[in-house]
Amino acid sequence: MRTQVAVIGAGPAGLLLSYLLHSEGVEAVVLEARDREYVRQRVRAGVCEQPTVELLTEIGLGDRLVREGLPHEGFSLRFDGQDHRIALTELTGRSITVYGQQEIVKDLVDAHERQGLPLEFEVSDVAVSDVDTSRPVVRYVDAAGVSQVLECDAIVGCDGFHGVSRPSIPDGGLQFFEREYPFAWLGVLAQTPPSHEELIYTHHPRGFALHSMRSPEITRLYLQVDPGEDLSAWSDDRIWSELSLRLAVDGEFTLREGPILDKGITPMRSFVAEPMRHGRLFLAGDAAHIVPPTGAKGMNLAVADVRVLSRALVSLAKGDPTPADAYSDTCLRRVWRAEHFSWFMTTMLHTDPGADAFARRLQLSQLRYTASSRAAATSVAENYVGLPFGG
């Protein structure tokens, strides 16, 4: 088989890249290891930066997002038993929209199927080769068990942190920057209306807590736990009790409880691979970088990557390699800004079990400054609503 671009991974990055390329007349084939329903249903991030919303709307995929998404003009920052609002729109003129990543994936899968764009699920044994040539190759076994060879002009790895794309780059071809954090998130999806109209980020002596939502009927909540925590030790009653304790303020606040539909523990990591390209193999999204979820940047960084990359690959197809050569440097400027912001939010809000009294006082000082200074709040708001994509 022959195509112009082979895209490995049918998450939001891979699907959006394919859609953008086809809209510009560049052929692409998307390969995904999981089955169609798993891809459509897996629960991931839920905060869309304004540039993400604008892009999806611009390319005709924003109808359901605009109709069902939940626009937010601020979020709450809680500590010392008090609630402090970061007024995103007042400070920046922009906002964020809560719309689950899986909903964006559904919109993209449906768009591919409506237009008959190549999208293969349940592939296996994916192998990448010849990336140092102008004709790289992807070998895989399709859903019917038939071995396939896909020749192309470029390969894009959108297959996440544990995918096959990044390890396909020869030793010495990448430099890694990584930090692991001494805590994790216990996340739950609950069938109950949100208890607050906006997100709540809470710093508490017992650990961080986050109140978020997915819809007017579904709430998403998180608790800071130890990375080695046993999920079976957390009954529904224990989860609700701990959430109520950490989210409480001195004023009036009642946490709405309901059936827990899903729960899991996620470790916290910062990771960047440089450069985001080797020959004709390009990396995008989690294949190239990971941020702790505190800053709500992961999916939005993936969208920013493929917006830049789609333009670069269109130019490459027309014989101009300059934007492709600049892809990594262009994206890494935004990536490192998001890495810093995510680290800042994570270290400001979480309780570090190894921190001494001096570090804890510094942390509280930063929280108080962020809540009381318009300049500090504006910096947080500007990063939170999303910086321009660039490129």
Side-chain angles (χ1 to χ4, degrees):
M1 294 189 297
R2 181 83 174 85
T3 191
Q4 288 174 283
V5 180
V7 181
I8 304 174
L15 290 168
L16 179 58
L17 176 62
S18 169
Y19 190 85
L20 290 169
L21 290 174
H22 280 284
S23 70
E24 295 291 335
V26 175
E27 296 177 353
V29 174
V30 181
L31 305 175
E32 169 58 45
R34 304 283 191 167
D35 64 57
R36 180 180 183 276
E37 287 311 305
Y38 178 89
V39 169
R40 286 173 58 91
Q41 299 300 327
R42 56 185 168 188
V43 177
R44 293 293 188 271
V47 172
C48 296
E49 296 175 350
Q50 182 153 326
T52 297
V53 174
E54 291 172 350
L55 174 60
L56 293 172
T57 303
E58 173 191 328
I59 63 175
L61 294 179
D63 290 350
R64 199 160 69 91
L65 185 156
V66 172
R67 186 173 64 251
E68 300 178 13
L70 305 175
H72 286 196
E73 296 186 349
F75 67 82
S76 288
L77 189 62
R78 290 186 176 178
F79 59 93
D80 281 349
Q82 299 294 317
D83 188 274
H84 310 268
R85 186 171 185 265
I86 304 297
L88 300 174
T89 305
E90 177 187 328
L91 294 168
T92 69
R94 293 174 287 162
S95 62
I96 56 100
T97 299
V98 174
Y99 187 68
Q101 176 176 310
Q102 72 271 22
E103 303 305 322
I104 293 176
V105 168
K106 288 176 188 176
D107 294 338
L108 285 163
V109 169
D110 292 346
H112 275 70
E113 293 176 346
R114 281 196 309 270
Q115 298 183 27
L117 306 182
L119 171 55
E120 295 193 41
F121 294 102
E122 299 181 76
V123 307
S124 58
D125 298 327
V126 178
V128 173
S129 64
D130 303 313
V131 296
D132 289 313
T133 73
S134 60
R135 292 290 185 270
V137 174
V138 180
R139 292 175 172 83
Y140 66 97
V141 177
D142 66 20
V146 178
S147 296
Q148 303 286 355
V149 178
L150 182 61
E151 299 177 349
C152 48
D153 299 323
I155 300 170
V156 182
C158 300
D159 48 347
F161 184 77
H162 299 289
V164 302
S165 299
R166 191 179 65 252
S168 299
I169 295 175
D171 290 345
L174 294 174
Q175 184 175 7
F176 302 118
F177 303 87
E178 188 168 13
R179 173 163 297 179
E180 293 189 2
Y181 297 88
F183 30 76
W185 276 13
L186 192 167
V188 302
L189 197 68
Q191 188 173 342
T192 181
S195 305
H196 193 266
E197 64 273 12
E198 295 177 337
L199 279 72
I200 305 171
Y201 288 82
T202 300
H203 170 76
H204 190 276
R206 294 178 63 88
F208 169 79
L210 171 60
H211 168 279
S212 183
M213 63 283 291
R214 289 295 178 269
S215 75
E217 297 81 28
I218 301 294
T219 300
R220 185 74 163 153
L221 304 119
Y222 299 92
L223 285 168
Q224 175 187 340
V225 297
D226 186 86
E229 194 73 36
D230 182 1
L231 186 60
S232 64
W234 286 86
S235 66
D236 291 3
D237 286 344
R238 184 186 177 190
I239 290 170
W240 286 118
S241 175
E242 193 66 25
L243 283 166
S244 295
L245 180 64
R246 297 189 194 181
L247 290 168
V249 290
D250 294 340
E252 191 75 20
F253 178 75
T254 301
L255 180 64
R256 294 175 175 172
E257 300 183 11
I260 291 180
L261 307 175
D262 180 71
K263 57 183 172 181
I265 293 178
T266 304
M268 308 283 279
R269 173 190 287 117
S270 296
F271 172 85
V272 179
E274 292 187 8
M276 293 169 58
R277 174 196 181 180
H278 181 83
R280 288 295 181 96
L281 172 59
F282 299 83
L283 303 177
D286 287 358
H289 43 72
I290 297 287
V291 291
T294 326
K297 293 291 157 231
M299 179 187 66
N300 295 289
L301 273 182
V303 170
D305 288 349
V306 300
R307 170 72 280 186
V308 174
L309 184 55
S310 66
R311 292 173 173 172
L313 292 175
V314 169
S315 293
L316 188 64
K318 295 177 179 178
D320 179 9
T322 305
D325 292 341
Y327 164 69
S328 181
D329 288 342
T330 300
C331 287
L332 283 170
R333 286 194 292 271
R334 195 178 196 275
V335 166
W336 278 110
R337 176 86 295 273
E339 289 283 353
H340 183 273
F341 179 68
S342 299
W343 166 85
F344 167 77
M345 291 285 284
T346 300
T347 55
M348 179 175 69
L349 287 162
H350 289 72
T351 302
D352 186 342
D356 59 18
F358 183 82
R360 294 192 184 99
R361 290 294 192 277
L362 291 179
Q363 186 179 33
L364 189 57
S365 173
Q366 180 62 61
L367 282 162
R368 290 169 176 164
Y369 177 61
T370 301
S372 61
S373 164
R374 185 177 180 88
T378 299
S379 177
V380 168
E382 182 180 54
N383 283 272
Y384 196 83
V385 299
L387 300 172
F389 287 158

